[in-house]
Amino acid sequence: MEIDFNEYKLSSELRGHEDDVRGICVCGNAGIATSSRDRTVRLWSLEGHKYAASRILLGHTSFVGPLAWISPNEEFPEGGVVSGGMDTLVLVWDLRTGEKVQTLKGHQLQVTSVALDGGDIVSASVDCTLRRWRNGQPTESWEAHKAAIQAVIKLPSGELVTGSSDTTLKLWRGSKSTHTFAGHTDTVRGLAVMSDLGILSASHDSSIRLWSLSGEVLMEMVGHTSIVYSVDSHVSGLIVSGSEDCSAKIWKDGVCVQTIEHPGCVWDAKFLDNGDIVTGCSDGVIRIWTVHQDRLADSLELESYASQLSQYKRSRKRVGGLKLDDLPGLEALQVPGTSDGQTKVVREGDNGVAYAWNLREQKWDKIGEVVDGPDDNLRRPVFDGIEYDYVFDVDIGDGEPIRKLPYNRSDNPYDTADKWLLKENLPLSYRQQIVEFILQNSGQKDFTLDSSFRDPYTGSSAYIPGATSSMSAVSAKPTFKHIPKKGVLVFDVAQFDGILKKITEFNNALLSDSENKNSSLTELEFSRLGAIIKVLKDTSHYHSSKLADVDIALLLKLLNSWPLAMIFPGVLSEIIKKVTTNPAIPANLLTSIRAVTNLFKNSCFYNWLQKHRSEILDAFSSCYSSPNKNLQLSYSTLILNYAVLLIEKKDQEGQSQVLSAALVIVEEENLEVDSKFRVLVAIGSLMLDGLVRKIALDLDVEDIAKAAKASKDAKIAEVGADIELLTKQS
């Protein structure tokens, strides 16, 4: 059946964001608001037929996602914007001034969606709750799903609808659920109202569904090949969706009538009132698409976009399971093959071309172009441009990098092991261990091991299982280099001489201050303090310091009577709130956070640390963005230790909070390497051994893994690869 439809083409590109554009909000006549991973909200105003940047709204401390538009009223004469972020905050902005006028605190994890209900704001979060806010104050909160809530919308009827990682939608009248919509097979990520028909839902299962309010599926739209992040509808009956597959799709009567390719993931797509479409992409660009000839981009802009798209597609093109750019060039054909019919794939221009070795004529015969299809995951793995039945990851231990071992079932495993050990410059005494590894992981259980073998190079016997060898047991994929973290990290080294020197300075300052003179130490007390320091210094390596009651009383005097700025040398957990009160003094923060971190080395504190998790993490949450690198490292260590503890305790709620905090920290631009590494290890450990892997995936941990993997720092890249591997496991 012919469908009447005019194709959308590029109208304009809006550049300014420095990272992924995560959300789009159409703000009536005021323009468009967009949110980004770069922590900003930007407003774009219409000037003629084009949009131009008009305001940058700064206030979130991590990436910003959902947005909602407040129509002009008495409080907001030019309208307002509501934004939600990874930082757990909901912020309200006055567009007349561009200022933040309300900060709504209450959610424990990332805010995923915001909606307006009359004068109220309704927010949804990964913490599984919906919260209602009125005049900047919370009015009610309830657990709406047992898994992360990803979206909330208001229906014209006044009811609310939520979509969740539990794969369902729920219809709400007040805080009472009146219906559950079941049918999607994965996370429900986006929701929209379809005028006079029902509710649209976008899902990680790659589909879009239209539901009646009674829960009946009126239409299912299938065509995307990856996660569908967003969906929107227009009064014309058109539907637009944005997906991880780097496209926005236009649907009419359930049929995809156009696919608009993008140079990156399409996080959000919205219709303007005039029928134009706005898309937000992971390349940081907002694009307007139109069917009207008078609003089309000029030829130079169209050519530029075509070039961006071509370059991006080339960088992602895969041939035989490998990126095109990773294939060897034509020079690889100068190396003779090893067996008749051996295949090799090489790069020729923008294509991958397969060749087969002709043993009789001693040349490579061209087979033809290789094009990846939808069954790419079923293709034989490729290594150095050659297809194999298996390409194993081999971990030889001792901090060595993972080695690749290619193998065909028709090969002799002993020959394969010999050649591989020589190539990798490894001792031939490992031969039998490698053979057993190959047989076990290729499913050849009936193969008879040749224990009488004599090495052709050395004449020695084969390796016998159980014999002494310095090689660690080789292991099959998945192999993780840095996760999970076992055990905790502490700050054991105390600079006792420096502490005593600082106390001397503080005491002298008190003696010269008439108001605080009574708080100073007497000569006898100061002498006693020197003896205490000596005891601590002499016994710190054994953690067995013993102090008399009079010594404890003296230390408590310092803590309780000395001014705040002089607390630095002494630490007790009870003063956490005192030293973290604004304005916080870095020295106090550092000493107290390290003291709390050190509590993790003694199991008697575990229950206390678990019980007070929220207040401890909140108290020190400013540390990760501090310019003080020691504070950054201490907070990252605290996060890592909490991850280890809460995994052991199987505390899912606690793991969720720590994961959320870790994901916020890792986005910090100025985070030093060791701090970032520890936070990434915490994330990976929580995903591997904890209970929050699905939450991490919903929070787009894959993007974080990819960014880490691309790091120039080796250990950051390695743990990024660990996390990326976790995201690919079923």
Side-chain angles (χ1 to χ4, degrees), residues 488-494 496 534-547 594-595 597-602 604-605:
V488 297
L489 300 175
V490 295
F491 298 94
D492 274 337
V493 180
F496 294 109
K534 186 176 187 305
V535 171
L536 292 172
K537 190 174 179 180
D538 291 343
T539 61
S540 64
H541 298 295
Y542 308 100
H543 310 291
S544 58
S545 307
K546 294 182 179 179
L547 300 173
R594 285 186 171 182
T597 302
N598 283 353
L599 295 178
F600 284 85
K601 67 185 176 185
N602 194 321
C604 70
F605 293 113

Side-chain angles (χ1 to χ4, degrees), residues 614-629:
S614 292
E615 58 200 80
I616 290 171
L617 292 176
D618 288 346
F620 293 114
S621 61
S622 64
C623 293
Y624 79 89
S625 57
S626 168
N628 186 313
K629 303 300 183 185

Side-chain angles (χ1 to χ4, degrees), residues 652-666:
Q652 184 170 5
E653 181 183 346
Q655 290 176 32
S656 297
Q657 183 182 6
V658 172
L659 174 69
S660 181
L663 291 171
V664 170
I665 299 168
V666 86

